[in-house]
Amino acid sequence: MTTVPRIGIVSGGDEIRLRFYVNHAIYAREHGLDYRVETGIDPHIATKFDYKVSIIRRLLPHYEWLVWMDDDAYFTDFEASNITDLVAAAEKDGQDLVIAEGPLEPNGFWSRINTGVMLIHNSGVGRALVEAMATADLATVRAWWDEDRDGLFTNGDQDQMWWAIRTGGHEDLVRIVGHHELNSRGHYYEHNLSDAFVMHFTGYPDKELGVARFADRFGVGQELVPEALLDKYHVRTRSPLAGAARRRREIRTDAMSAVKYRLRPHKERILAVADRLPAGVRSRLPLGA
Ligand SMILES: [Mn+2]
């Protein structure tokens, strides 16, 4: 008889663009959890979000609880046992999904949930939620969406999951926690890295630089892992974005931010014009996601 491991963390996508896997692997090892980094390439990919959905569908049967971590979400508190605590709390209350609210961003964006970090139970309801997220028709979800009630529409798995929760009768089986507990943002870290459990780098034009600058704020390396743990696990490459390469990225990113800042009063008009351009041209403009 084979036994299904209890809790596994998985992250990845279609490319390995950041060193998140060092952060995730060390957190998992410290807390006795399994960890895999996966490539989500699949014959059925339609949008950039599908890589993640394909990984979750493929791996959920291999664990009792599967923890999805976006590649731009980093653990910042290596002492905190939030993953096992939240799984225990969900099991006690008979819940099959644990997910955080999408907190207010500096640009005013918010959402009822954020699918960057999810704890999914390998149960009938857990599997049904994943299937609904994977297959829900985005046009149907968009027609149902109410921005005042549901927040920002992102055109992807997050909206499909929220629709699945709300329309599938699963609300009592989903635990929506505060962002500090599972999936927070840079502006909520005030004093130290234990102000929240996971830092999710949403909305950064250059994520690798965003991680490096956040690391500098708290005097830690770009893996966001305490030095003693990097030593313990023999991590040889550390804080790789440095020197002239980093300076080039700083200059480019700051120049782009300055342009965006100056154009902000005209944003609606620019977006309306950009909407009429061919997709190939539009995708090269610095309009953000
Ligand atoms: Mn993300």
Side-chain angles (χ1 to χ4, degrees):
M1 202 181 90
T2 55
T3 53
V4 176
R6 187 159 156 66
I7 303 175
I9 299 175
V10 63
S11 50
D14 60 327
E15 60 171 334
I16 305 299
R17 55 181 182 166
L18 296 163
R19 294 182 81 247
F20 61 89
Y21 49 89
V22 175
N23 177 283
H24 296 178
I26 292 177
Y27 182 86
R29 287 293 289 274
E30 285 293 294
H31 291 269
L33 312 174
D34 199 14
Y35 175 63
R36 297 191 194 199
V37 54
E38 287 280 323
T39 48
I41 50 173
D42 191 284
H44 310 291
I45 300 297
T47 78
K48 65 177 179 175
F49 300 110
D50 291 342
Y51 299 105
K52 152 186 178 171
V53 174
S54 102
I55 292 172
I56 294 172
R57 282 173 110 179
R58 198 149 39 80
L59 286 195
L60 182 58
H62 295 273
Y63 297 95
E64 276 183 45
W65 283 85
L66 183 71
V67 179
W68 170 260
M69 293 282 296
D70 267 13
D71 65 351
D72 60 347
Y74 285 58
F75 295 103
T76 58
D77 188 347
F78 283 77
E79 307 269 309
S81 54
N82 293 28
I83 299 287
T84 43
D85 293 352
L86 287 170
V87 163
E91 286 183 338
K92 183 172 150 285
D93 294 341
Q95 293 160 328
D96 296 281
L97 175 72
V98 183
I99 194 164
E101 62 181 332
L104 187 63
E105 307 278 3
N107 61 7
F109 289 169
W110 61 275
S111 53
R112 296 294 296 268
I113 55 168
N114 183 283
T115 50
V117 183
M118 289 184 275
L119 281 56
I120 308 163
H121 194 199
N122 179 9
S123 64
V125 170
R127 290 188 297 269
L129 282 168
V130 167
E131 285 313 297
M133 171 178 77
T135 58
D137 173 40
L138 263 175
T140 304
V141 177
R142 177 157 230 163
W144 168 86
W145 201 266
D146 174 344
E147 281 191 2
D148 294 331
R149 180 193 65 197
D150 306 316
L152 178 74
F153 189 79
T154 59
N155 222 16
D157 64 290
Q158 180 164 293
D159 323 307
Q160 290 161 302
M161 180 56 102
W162 181 236
W163 175 87
I165 292 168
R166 287 293 305 262
T167 64
H170 301 307
E171 274 180 304
D172 294 343
L173 306 175
V174 176
R175 188 181 200 93
I176 300 178
V177 300
H179 63 89
H180 287 102
E181 281 180 79
L182 196 63
N183 180 349
S184 196
R185 305 291 180 277
H187 55 290
Y188 293 105
Y189 284 82
E190 286 179 48
H191 307 293
N192 55 60
L193 288 169
S194 57
D195 285 346
F197 180 53
V198 168
M199 165 62 190
H200 187 181
F201 292 88
T202 61
Y204 286 72
D206 181 335
K207 286 185 196 284
E208 192 181 10
L209 180 61
V211 173
R213 285 175 162 174
F214 180 82
D216 289 353
R217 254 179 82 195
F218 296 102
V220 69
Q222 290 163 17
E223 297 76 23
L224 307 189
V225 175
E227 188 128 348
L229 288 176
L230 293 175
D231 292 343
K232 177 178 174 182
Y233 290 99
H234 302 278
V235 177
R236 281 189 290 178
T237 300
R238 302 185 185 186
S239 298
L241 184 59
R246 173 162 178 174
R247 281 196 295 281
R248 273 198 304 277
R249 301 270 286 271
E250 304 257 12
I251 290 163
R252 197 176 63 192
T253 302
D254 291 345
M256 209 197 273
S257 305
V259 169
K260 269 182 141 173
Y261 181 79
R262 284 201 303 275
L263 292 179
R264 192 169 295 161
H266 314 290
K267 188 177 167 194
E268 293 303 318
R269 199 158 43 82
I270 292 164
L271 287 176
V273 171
D275 251 359
R276 296 195 292 271
L277 296 171
V281 176
R282 198 173 58 223
S283 68
R284 291 198 298 274
L285 299 174
L287 298 173

